[in-house]
Amino acid sequence: MSSQISDGPTRAAVRDRLNRVTDPELDCSIVALEYVDGIEITGHRVAVDLTLPTAWCSPAFAWMMAVDARDEVESLSTVEESRITLHEHMHETEITRGVNERLSFGEAFPDADGDVAAVRAELDEKARVARQYDAVEALLDAGLDAEAIVDLSSRDLEMDDSTNTVAVYVDDRSFAVTVPNDPIERYLHKARETALVSEPDASLFRTPEGDPIDAESFALVHRRGRLTQVNMSSQGGICDGLREARERRLEGAADD
Amino acid sequence: MYQQNEEDIFVIDAHVHLWDATEENIKHEGGEEFIQCFYDYHTTFTPEERQWDMDEYRKYGADRMVADLFGDAAADMGIFQPTYLTDFYAEGFNTTEQNAALATEYPERFVLNGTFDPRDGDQGLEYLEELHENYEIPGVKLYTAEWRGDSKGWRLDDEEAFEFLEKCSELGIENIHAHKGPTIRPLNRDAFDVADVDDAASSFPELNFVVEHVGLPRLDDFCWIAAQENNVYGGLAVAAPFAQNRPGKFSEIMSELLWWLGEERVLFGSDYALWNPDWLVEEVMEAELTQEHRAEYGVEWDLETKKKVMGENAADLYDIDIEAKRQAFQDDEISQQFGLEDHYAGEEPAAADD
């Protein structure tokens, strides 16, 4: 049974942390995707149970989610230790053991060829491209054109938290348009994770390959952003359906 | 043939299997996991009243397959895409030889594809030649994520794979169906990565590369590659049944495909028995693009496009003369068995077209 002692973490705090963990393929929170089956808090220890949509979910993706869940929960000062258990997966034993014993991916899977860094970076890049589409749509809606958008850098942005908007300066800061901050901030968060906009005067928006965009190819790059979103939401539909189907199957088996 | 607006649409199901996943045939837990995962795909995207139970799903047999595909003329022809998985299934999941039993019984109705596995080396090259000699296979289905001993998969741009593609080119085996699947060695890589298709397709312009389930979950990478390599095609398995329970998503995926690849490089396939053409064809034929998607992408899912996707594109790749087939089907064995002579004579719609 869960019990909360005076200075242990609250359930809400743990959930909030887990909510920051995304399925790297879908760029969507594992809480929203209902991968979290259980959270058990005992004093300063937190146990989290995870089940993914299929037993065949990529072991690399499963590993990333399990590690991220562990690290997010343990970032709470009230948590001493977390234990992550992956269920119903082809590699549940290796992943559960590896994550809790703090092994590297290579140590958990001796027959793997190195780490998951490359595939993680690739998926982060896709998430950035998908988020760029929403940010650029917001700028187009505000009346900016391709030339103005491809010229932007992060120093042209001025966040206003009191109104949840961003002022976007264009034409050598001669004027600004105001757009909602959510799509811009979501984009910036991922762009910083992928180390693309570390310099204030670096081009804000990029091709999927990470290069600055020229105005002539703006439309095509924007299409690719849309395509990346369609891919994620389609795969999301498949994962969601598979998860429901498996739940029904397992419930059916339990009833027999 | 499917009838719409008083026109007949000849349907080639470009992706079918005759598999055996009975418990007696399973020799590794992967085999059980595999069929369970397939079954989840089946139930997720099949109308409830058309869902099979697990026992019939494990093994349905040749008679049922013929009836499902051709009994009410939902499909007019089928293309066998073998999936060996001999590390999981004692006799294989569905090998070329197993599919051949049915394909050679009805050669006018089935196209029989073979396979290769570059990990088999010289023996594999010999096997490919043998398949060519015995069956004159016009294509191969490649399952890059297949487990074999310690190996959990291979890539189309491996040096060894290129040797096999060269052999295909030499033998005139023109159609390369690449199927991306879960868990590949090395485990830390992305099993669904389609980047290897790019290199293979540009190195072998004389071959056609059909990426099954349109690269999902890498639709974006797939479309981008296909936009640059005009010998890359998309097989609609997995995407097609979205038409039934996620029509908005189907509209969006189809719009993307038509925008990036055009109407000549998309091929219908049911992936039978994952899904059954006896209801799937109708769902796809009756699906519509939303107004928003038509405006956004400037593409149409109209009769001309459907004719290409549902049959003509596959007919081009496999040198099938649709009109000659239609004539032949007026009195072939299958039409006699199911009373479809008039249907192919153009006098009476089949039951499925109601």
Side-chain angles (χ1 to χ4, degrees), chain B residues 73-344:
Chain B
D76 304 294
M77 294 182 68
I79 303 178
F80 274 118
Q81 309 287 4
T83 314
Y84 280 55
L85 298 177
T86 38
D87 271 25
F88 289 176
Y89 299 98
E91 304 296 325
F93 188 46
N94 55 107
T95 63
T96 309
E97 291 82 359
Q98 288 161 344
N99 293 333
L102 188 52
T104 51
E105 192 180 343
Y106 303 107
E108 71 283 9
R109 293 284 187 156
F110 285 109
V111 173
L112 180 69
N113 276 346
T115 192
F116 68 70
D117 189 325
R119 295 169 296 186
D120 295 340
D122 287 343
Q123 235 180 339
L125 286 167
E126 279 165 33
Y127 180 61
L128 183 62
E129 281 182 352
E130 195 184 302
L131 290 176
H132 169 70
E133 272 162 37
N134 292 348
Y135 305 114
E136 286 181 67
I137 51 168
V140 283
K141 155 82 178 293
L142 307 177
Y143 198 64
T144 55
E146 179 160 355
W147 289 19
R148 182 150 304 178
D150 288 337
S151 164
K152 302 290 182 275
W154 54 279
R155 288 174 59 91
L156 263 173
D157 55 4
D158 291 340
E159 204 178 306
E160 298 78 21
F162 269 37
E163 266 182 61
F164 281 77
L165 290 171
E166 265 157 37
K167 178 63 79 178
C168 284
S169 180
E170 187 188 310
L171 298 173
I173 300 169
E174 289 176 359
N175 299 311
I176 314 297
H177 292 254
H179 196 156
K180 295 296 173 171
T183 53
I184 195 170
R185 186 196 178 92
L187 286 166
N188 47 312
R189 299 276 168 75
D190 173 5
F192 290 98
D193 182 14
V194 287
D196 55 339
V197 176
D198 196 356
D199 198 10
S202 54
S203 301
F204 294 91
E206 71 278 23
L207 302 178
N208 310 306
F209 291 82
V210 185
V211 176
E212 294 302 341
H213 49 77
V214 292
L216 277 166
R218 297 289 170 269
L219 179 72
D220 48 348
D221 298 327
F222 162 70
C223 286
W224 181 240
I225 290 167
Q228 289 155 90
E229 309 291 343
N230 60 15
N231 56 334
V232 171
Y233 296 70
L236 267 188
V238 182
F242 272 74
Q244 166 262 143
N245 61 350
R246 286 170 169 80
K249 209 79 239 159
F250 176 84
S251 165
E252 201 171 38
I253 296 171
M254 186 56 84
S255 298
E256 289 282 1
L257 290 171
L258 293 173
W259 197 88
W260 290 97
L261 280 78
E263 58 192 36
E264 321 233 299
R265 288 196 281 144
V266 182
L267 274 61
F268 172 75
S270 67
D271 216 342
Y272 182 87
L274 269 155
W275 298 283
N276 197 333
D278 75 351
W279 60 264
L280 180 61
V281 169
E282 182 173 1
E283 292 289 349
V284 173
M285 285 299 301
E286 299 301 326
E288 290 177 2
L289 304 187
T290 67
Q291 278 298 340
E292 284 160 344
H293 293 148
R294 290 166 68 198
E296 182 186 346
Y297 293 91
V299 297
E300 295 291 339
W301 182 234
D302 55 14
L303 191 63
E304 287 314 301
T305 308
K306 290 174 188 171
K307 277 184 168 175
K308 288 179 178 169
V309 170
M310 301 305 288
E312 290 173 6
N313 294 340
D316 283 347
L317 291 186
Y318 283 90
D319 297 321
I320 293 166
D321 180 337
I322 288 179
E323 191 43 43
K325 283 289 179 188
R326 181 194 166 117
Q327 303 247 341
F329 293 171
Q330 287 173 24
D331 65 350
D332 79 335
E333 207 182 320
I334 281 178
S335 290
Q336 288 170 20
Q337 185 185 340
F338 296 105
L340 293 168
E341 298 93 333
D342 291 347
H343 171 75
Y344 286 104

Side-chain angles (χ1 to χ4, degrees), chain B residues 14-58:
Chain B
H15 193 151
V16 301
H17 306 278
L18 177 57
W19 70 54
D20 177 0
T22 51
E23 276 156 25
E24 305 81 74
N25 194 30
I26 292 174
K27 68 172 186 184
H28 179 282
E29 62 174 331
E32 181 62 21
E33 297 273 1
F34 202 83
I35 193 66
Q36 294 288 359
C37 183
F38 269 35
Y39 189 66
D40 287 346
Y41 270 95
H42 168 75
T43 56
T44 298
F45 291 101
T46 298
E48 212 170 333
E49 69 279 9
R50 307 306 299 267
Q51 291 177 12
W52 295 10
D53 66 39
M54 191 63 199
D55 283 339
E56 59 188 327
Y57 200 70
R58 285 183 188 276

